[in-house]
Amino acid sequence: ITFVAGDMRPLMNTDLSFNGQWEFYNGTTWITSGTYDGKAPQNTSNTINRVFIDKYVTGGGSATKAYTCSFIIQSGGELDLVANAPPHVAAEMIAAGKKIEVLTGGTLTVQGDIDVASTSNLIVRSGGTMTLNQNSINNSHPMWDGVELFEGGSTVVINDWKWNSSGAGSLLNILTSITNNANGYKFGNLIIDVNSTDSFSLIGGGIGIVNLCENDFDISNSSSYYIHGATNRTGINGFLINGNMTIYDGNFSFGTSFSNDSFNHQFIINGNFECGSNDVLKIHHIELNT
């Protein structure tokens, strides 16, 4: 990585809003004192270009202004966004034209309720990990306002989601909700590790066959509810897993209907399929709202 003037990084594990624990690159060297005051990224008097995360950094955005810099999470670094409570903050967490990028060995944990601008980028590179653990997020959340790129070899872990959201209680509901990666898949590796408070679907809405994972798809569902595959009855709907699909725990159905009408679902697993759960596995499940 070539550092340029305006870059910042933490001196130790810290909070995004905590002053005095940061160093600033002036174009020649890293400085923590003098003209370069070493304050937190949103508080410094200097113009910030990028914030490099190579340690554990927690915190979140501001309710009044966005970060006007990009965040680069390096190997061994974790950015744990926890500060913002639902609903999402008044200002974008990341300003227009900026990005959050997770490099190989880096981790982004979203426990707060963040917003991004429509021209912002959320990028998880191969070997990087992003964990979602916020029950206000759904498939139309402002977090997906920008452009997402989950490269092949990346990992997305979902621990919490807005399961019972009306019309948005699915991971994917419209084609634009999460951007395809360069090879046409929504995710690299996808891990669903949940204890949901309601049934939850992966593919909702008439959006056809979704290339869901370029790599592997793992499910651990410790609740008594179902995780469903595709739910829409119009056209042919379903998903494609390019790697392996493994169900470790919980109830799962590939296809689900909420009426007695006929459905046309299609599911493709190019790798191995293994179900180690001692709960219920269904090819198709009728879940009427009665």
Side-chain angles (χ1 to χ4, degrees):
I1 294 176
T2 300
F3 297 109
V4 298
D7 289 344
M8 288 191 76
R9 65 186 182 187
L11 282 167
M12 58 189 71
N13 294 348
T14 189
D15 189 287
L16 278 175
S17 63
F18 188 72
N19 290 339
Q21 304 297 312
W22 299 84
E23 52 184 349
F24 179 87
Y25 193 71
N26 68 357
T28 303
T29 188
W30 291 95
I31 298 177
T32 59
S33 61
T35 303
Y36 305 95
D37 48 34
K39 290 183 179 179
Q42 276 199 332
N43 299 331
T44 180
S45 59
N46 299 294
T47 300
I48 306 305
N49 177 45
R50 299 174 297 181
V51 175
F52 286 88
I53 306 294
D54 58 2
K55 303 171 180 64
Y56 177 81
V57 175
T58 188
S62 166
T64 58
K65 65 178 182 178
Y67 284 100
T68 56
C69 56
S70 294
F71 286 85
I72 312 296
I73 306 172
Q74 298 175 263
S75 179
E78 179 179 0
L79 179 58
D80 188 356
L81 299 175
V82 300
N84 297 321
H88 62 87
V89 295
E92 287 91 355
M93 164 71 184
I94 302 298
K98 303 303 179 179
K99 66 180 178 180
I100 301 178
E101 183 175 7
V102 185
L103 304 182
T104 299
T107 300
L108 171 65
T109 301
V110 180
Q111 299 187 72
D113 199 354
I114 67 170
D115 191 353
V116 299
S118 60
T119 57
S120 300
N121 292 329
L122 174 59
I123 303 170
V124 183
R125 301 294 185 188
S126 178
T129 300
M130 173 178 170
T131 298
L132 292 179
N133 190 24
Q134 173 53 257
N135 61 16
S136 71
I137 293 175
N138 58 37
N139 60 48
S140 60
H141 191 273
M143 180 178 167
W144 309 121
D145 279 354
V147 176
E148 304 78 38
L149 175 61
F150 301 116
E151 284 188 342
S154 67
T155 300
V156 172
V157 182
I158 297 178
N159 297 136
D160 206 353
W161 191 265
K162 195 169 184 179
W163 316 105
N164 57 358
S165 172
S166 176
S170 59
L171 180 59
L172 300 169
N173 193 43
I174 52 176
L175 284 174
T176 56
S177 63
I178 295 178
T179 310
N180 289 333
N181 70 26
N183 295 324
Y185 294 87
K186 297 293 184 182
F187 302 98
N189 295 284
L190 178 61
I191 298 173
I192 309 288
D193 187 3
V194 299
N195 184 9
S196 63
T197 58
D198 201 348
S199 293
F200 170 66
S201 61
L202 301 173
I203 314 295
I207 59 177
I209 307 298
V210 176
N211 289 351
L212 186 63
C213 298
E214 185 171 351
N215 307 116
D216 297 336
F217 179 35
D218 294 343
I219 295 175
S220 294
N221 172 20
S222 58
S223 78
S224 60
Y225 297 95
Y226 275 83
I227 293 178
H228 302 303
T231 64
N232 195 270
R233 66 189 183 191
T234 303
I236 301 175
N237 296 277
F239 60 74
L240 181 150
I241 307 297
N242 195 43
N244 302 319
M245 177 175 174
T246 306
I247 302 173
Y248 293 96
D249 187 28
N251 301 317
F252 181 82
S253 65
F254 282 93
T256 302
S257 59
F258 294 88
S259 75
N260 288 319
D261 297 339
S262 60
F263 279 65
N264 193 344
H265 290 153
Q266 181 175 312
F267 304 97
I268 303 166
I269 303 170
N270 287 334
N272 298 319
F273 172 69
E274 181 178 352
C275 181
S277 173
N278 60 0
D279 296 302
V280 179
L281 173 66
K282 292 186 177 183
I283 301 301
H284 190 78
H285 175 73
I286 298 178
E287 188 169 288
L288 297 176
N289 293 323
T290 57

